Amino acid sequence: MRTSLFGLIFLTSSALGYEVKTPPLDTDWTYKVGTDPWPDYPRPQLQRSRWQSLNGIWQWGEGTSESGYPQGIDVLVPSCIESALSGVMQSVRTSWFAREFEVSEDLNRKGYNILINFEAVDYQATVYINDQIAGNNTGGYWRFSFDITDLVKEGTNTLRVDVFDPTDADGYMIPIGKQTLNPSHIFYTPCSGIWQSSWWIPIAEVETNISIPSVPAQYVTQLDVAADMHGTIDVTVTTSKSSKDVVRITVTDDSGKDVAIGKGRANEAFSFKVSSPSLWSPDSPTLYNLTVAVGDDKVASYTGFRTIASGEIDGVKRPLINGEFFFQFGTLDQGFWPDGIHTPPNHEAMVFDIKQLKNLGFNMLRKHIKVENALFYRACDELGILLIQDMPSMPANRLPNADQQKEWERQLDILIEQHKNYPSIYTWIIYNEGWAQIRDYYPEEYLTKRLKSLDPTRLVDSTSGWVDHGYGDWHDNHHYANPQCGAPFYSTPSTPYDRKRIAIQGEFGGIGQNVSEEHLWKVQKAIDTINQTYEIDETIEAWNYRGHVLLSELRDQVEKWACSAAIWTQTTDVEGEVNGLLTYDRRILRPDVDQWKSDIQALKDAAKARNGKK
């Protein structure tokens, strides 16, 4: 079957060979995904009006691809090949993906470039166009693009991606978060392959008769925007050429009214003001649209006006949002799915979790040692959820060598560079519970400084949990099940509360409640680890009672001492864990909604009462 858009013709599989595998547990969205997944524009903060998705059915096989257009089995892109949605549901170290496309004779119009984009491929990707290497990328969580103008031809072209994923391989220390080939309790099924969207760059805006996906010879490659509570917008527009062309930015409110126009030069930082903007906060997540024009190129983006800071109120260090302190309460959010592993089934499923948290009164979540697709962060911006974003850790209980540490730090920089525009993100976490944290010197000291240099607009939580040497904005304690937040008591391996920093209960709760097999991850090894849960409550009534007790303890610590924020474990069950607010299939919500709303509001009220009170 052939599909055409703007003169570019894609040869697509009829998908007769593809079918969803039966996962150990499904969701209400598993069998609604279809063969045209994730049709949304993948990069909402650098958006052009015309584009072509490459998502859908590809060919897939184990090993390294052969030349031309190799034939394998039908696989759904994007998806982890370990997932049921992929149609493969197996884990291999090396595999390939392939498809064909045809292009029109207008392809090589002078002065225009054609780019191919991938939002995330786990872990190392080599991209071929017509048997020629377009480029390589290392890192399973990051977007990348290649200019393929000189590699394509009129007529039929081949696209192949070879993928190597060394999860758990001897000699490798890579950012993997909770992935493992041997899942057990708090470590889960891994993800390999093209697990986020792939697509072509859009058509040039300047010549409307051009009928190929292309952009001007000079085009915007990155847009960095930081807007504060006073209306100042700091901007850097990076282009494919080191020119100093004029940049024009139009700011539009949600009614469609233009409220400001800023001008500067490409590849140079500049600032301009918006008068009396409506501020972004969890209670009022106001966003403004941006239109950015440089030469012949035009892109759309958005921003929110807010200021994140650390300040002192009545002798206590507090996190300030737009100059105010309010209690920040969220969940530990793993971002795993029984049918898609790392990849949510669709946009509706992805935002379901966020909406459930908002309905209960949560105003924050901690994205735990995983990175999501750009549309997840856009949803948090729109719905009003503050985000604490972890850097994906290297394997726990092992330490990297110098080269491995350097590579991990390179990818830490990428995390910041690719995510620093989202208004909802307000804190970066470097290390979690000492996992792969070097002990004979303190890398978090210079890494905290580096992050502050890359992004001076946010807070840094240098060490979440323990192995804390006093760096960063937060003093972060983990303790199950009871909280110990900014209080004069603690349990090892945590450290006594450091009054020079903000107190956060980085993890607590974790209480579990077993459910019927219908809602469990039907893998015996996972079921056998359920009893490793910190606490198991026999009934849902007991579970809600214990939740009330723990939130009441936390409220006491907000009232009496210095607790400013807390993270409840966790949003959903995952595989062998049954301590979620939701079951892994998202079909059962454990909390008594009225009780939890009341308890969460009590936390916020206690924090509010502390303002101006000694």
Side-chain angles (χ1 to χ4, degrees):
M1 182 173 67
R2 296 186 175 203
T3 59
S4 178
L5 183 67
F6 313 126
L8 189 88
I9 301 171
F10 291 92
L11 299 180
T12 60
S13 166
S14 63
L16 293 177
Y18 166 77
E19 62 178 0
V20 179
K21 296 285 188 180
T22 301
L25 183 66
D26 62 17
T27 71
D28 289 342
W29 303 278
T30 303
Y31 303 104
K32 298 178 182 178
V33 172
T35 57
D36 183 26
W38 290 96
D40 319 78
Y41 193 89
R43 297 182 189 173
Q45 290 195 324
L46 193 65
Q47 186 165 348
R48 293 183 168 88
S49 59
R50 300 169 184 171
W51 66 292
Q52 173 66 56
S53 174
L54 282 171
N55 294 341
I57 306 302
W58 292 46
Q59 293 294 291
W60 177 87
E62 187 173 357
T64 302
S65 65
E66 300 175 356
S67 62
Y69 178 45
Q71 297 295 305
I73 66 172
D74 286 353
V75 65
L76 188 70
V77 171
S79 61
C80 308
I81 61 172
E82 294 84 351
S83 73
L85 290 180
S86 72
V88 177
M89 209 161 75
Q90 62 177 292
S91 185
V92 299
R93 186 151 291 165
T94 303
S95 65
W96 56 266
F97 298 76
R99 67 173 298 158
E100 287 185 330
F101 59 93
E102 286 193 2
V103 296
S104 71
E105 63 183 357
D106 293 328
L107 174 67
N108 291 318
R109 185 178 292 269
K110 184 177 180 181
Y112 289 86
N113 301 75
I114 298 173
L115 306 181
I116 191 169
N117 309 286
F118 294 88
E119 294 306 287
V121 179
D122 198 335
Y123 174 71
Q124 293 178 342
T126 304
V127 178
Y128 298 87
I129 302 292
N130 296 323
D131 295 331
Q132 299 181 72
I133 294 180
N136 301 277
N137 185 74
T138 296
Y141 300 95
W142 324 120
R143 65 176 184 257
F144 58 95
S145 303
F146 300 129
D147 187 323
I148 60 172
T149 308
D150 296 334
L151 304 181
V152 294
K153 61 184 181 181
E154 180 184 346
T156 302
N157 292 258
T158 60
L159 164 61
R160 304 195 319 272
V161 183
D162 286 352
V163 178
F164 173 65
D165 186 351
T167 297
D168 290 347
D170 290 341
Y172 287 88
M173 284 283 286
I174 64 173
I176 58 172
K178 291 202 166 185
Q179 301 179 68
T180 179
L181 296 178
N182 299 291
S184 179
H185 198 48
I186 67 168
F187 297 99
Y188 319 132
T189 300
C191 175
S192 303
I194 307 172
W195 69 277
Q196 290 187 26
S197 290
S198 58
W199 53 293
W200 290 85
I201 208 71
I203 296 172
E205 304 285 349
V206 63
E207 297 187 40
T208 57
N209 63 329
I210 293 176
S211 59
I212 56 171
S214 57
V215 294
Q218 175 176 250
Y219 52 89
V220 177
T221 59
Q222 183 167 326
L223 177 63
D224 295 324
V225 178
D228 69 18
M229 62 183 288
H230 306 293
T232 298
I233 302 181
D234 296 319
V235 183
T236 301
V237 179
T238 305
T239 63
S240 57
K241 294 184 178 180
S242 57
S243 75
K244 304 299 181 186
D245 285 5
V246 173
V247 174
R248 179 185 173 95
I249 299 181
T250 304
V251 183
T252 307
D253 65 19
D254 58 5
S255 72
K257 179 183 177 182
D258 293 344
V259 297
I261 294 175
K263 292 183 179 180
R265 296 286 179 180
N267 304 294
E268 292 181 350
F270 65 94
S271 301
F272 65 101
K273 294 273 289 189
V274 172
S275 177
S276 302
S278 297
L279 302 186
W280 187 97
S281 72
D283 290 336
S284 181
T286 303
L287 298 175
Y288 287 78
N289 292 317
L290 306 176
T291 302
V292 181
V294 184
D296 296 333
D297 197 20
K298 183 184 292 184
V299 297
S301 189
Y302 70 90
T303 192
F305 291 86
R306 89 286 182 273
T307 297
I308 309 300
S310 171
E312 192 170 292
I313 299 177
D314 289 328
V316 178
K317 278 285 189 177
R318 300 294 193 187
L320 304 180
I321 313 297
N322 300 326
E324 297 182 359
F325 166 60
F326 56 85
F327 194 76
Q328 291 134 41
F329 190 44
T331 56
L332 197 70
D333 196 89
Q334 311 283 0
F336 275 71
W337 294 84
D339 43 18
I341 311 301
H342 269 191
T343 309
N346 56 26
H347 192 278
E348 177 189 359
M350 180 183 70
V351 300
F352 176 84
D353 287 1
I354 303 171
K355 290 179 178 178
Q356 292 291 315
L357 296 179
K358 286 287 289 187
N359 184 56
L360 288 168
F362 290 96
N363 57 16
M364 178 261 278
L365 63 82
R366 176 186 171 193
K367 180 49 62 178
H368 190 38
I369 51 180
K370 187 204 170 190
V371 179
E372 299 291 351
N373 67 51
L375 297 170
F376 171 86
Y377 298 97
R378 168 79 194 213
C380 292
D381 293 342
E382 292 176 330
L383 294 172
I385 284 280
L386 286 165
L387 284 172
I388 295 177
Q389 176 64 57
D390 290 19
M391 172 62 188
S393 64
M394 291 183 281
N397 303 318
R398 292 167 56 191
L399 295 178
N401 62 33
D403 289 340
Q404 293 164 342
Q405 177 70 14
K406 183 178 180 181
E407 171 61 19
W408 183 78
E409 292 177 8
R410 180 189 73 86
Q411 294 191 39
L412 173 63
D413 289 354
I414 295 174
L415 170 69
I416 310 305
E417 292 291 350
Q418 292 192 358
H419 295 84
K420 63 184 179 181
N421 284 355
Y422 298 110
S424 52
I425 297 177
Y426 80 119
T427 293
W428 308 109
I429 289 182
I430 301 175
Y431 284 109
N432 175 69
E433 293 185 349
W435 293 6
Q437 183 179 348
I438 296 173
R439 310 297 169 83
D440 55 357
Y441 66 95
Y442 303 156
E444 66 270 24
E445 179 180 12
Y446 66 81
L447 290 176
T448 300
K449 294 177 181 177
R450 181 188 297 185
L451 264 60
K452 288 286 190 178
S453 175
L454 290 172
D455 178 17
T457 70
R458 289 180 175 85
L459 306 176
V460 175
D461 187 343
S462 304
T463 53
S464 181
W466 42 81
V467 193
D468 179 15
H469 301 111
Y471 302 106
D473 297 294
W474 297 90
H475 181 264
D476 186 336
N477 174 40
H478 295 184
H479 192 256
Y480 291 98
N482 304 67
Q484 298 176 349
C485 183
F489 48 87
Y490 67 99
S491 300
T492 58
S494 296
T495 56
Y497 166 56
D498 177 1
R499 297 179 182 277
K500 298 187 297 296
R501 293 179 290 162
I502 307 165
I504 181 172
Q505 186 67 55
E507 295 180 27
F508 84 114
I511 56 175
Q513 184 262 329
N514 214 336
V515 291
S516 65
E517 184 178 347
E518 178 186 359
H519 302 286
L520 290 178
W521 180 249
K522 298 173 188 65
V523 174
Q524 191 60 48
K525 187 176 179 181
I527 292 172
D528 291 344
T529 65
I530 285 176
N531 281 337
Q532 294 179 27
T533 303
Y534 301 104
E535 172 183 311
I536 296 286
D537 302 317
E538 292 185 0
T539 66
I540 195 64
E541 291 78 16
W543 185 89
N544 274 289
Y545 165 75
R546 287 290 292 143
H548 172 70
V549 169
L550 296 177
L551 295 186
S552 296
E553 284 191 41
L554 182 65
R555 185 196 65 226
D556 287 345
Q557 293 169 32
V558 177
E559 290 176 342
K560 297 177 183 298
W561 293 299
C563 189
S564 292
I567 309 290
W568 178 271
T569 302
Q570 58 188 343
T571 306
T572 73
D573 297 349
V574 185
E575 300 190 8
E577 293 189 276
V578 293
N579 54 3
L581 301 176
L582 289 155
T583 51
Y584 198 19
D585 59 8
R586 276 72 170 175
R587 290 188 174 108
I588 294 179
L589 179 70
R590 288 189 175 95
D592 177 312
V593 174
D594 289 340
Q595 173 198 307
W596 278 70
K597 280 186 173 181
S598 177
D599 286 340
I600 292 173
Q601 186 60 48
L603 294 171
K604 297 175 182 177
D605 291 344
K608 186 176 181 180
R610 287 291 304 271
N611 287 342
K613 182 179 179 181
K614 295 185 179 180

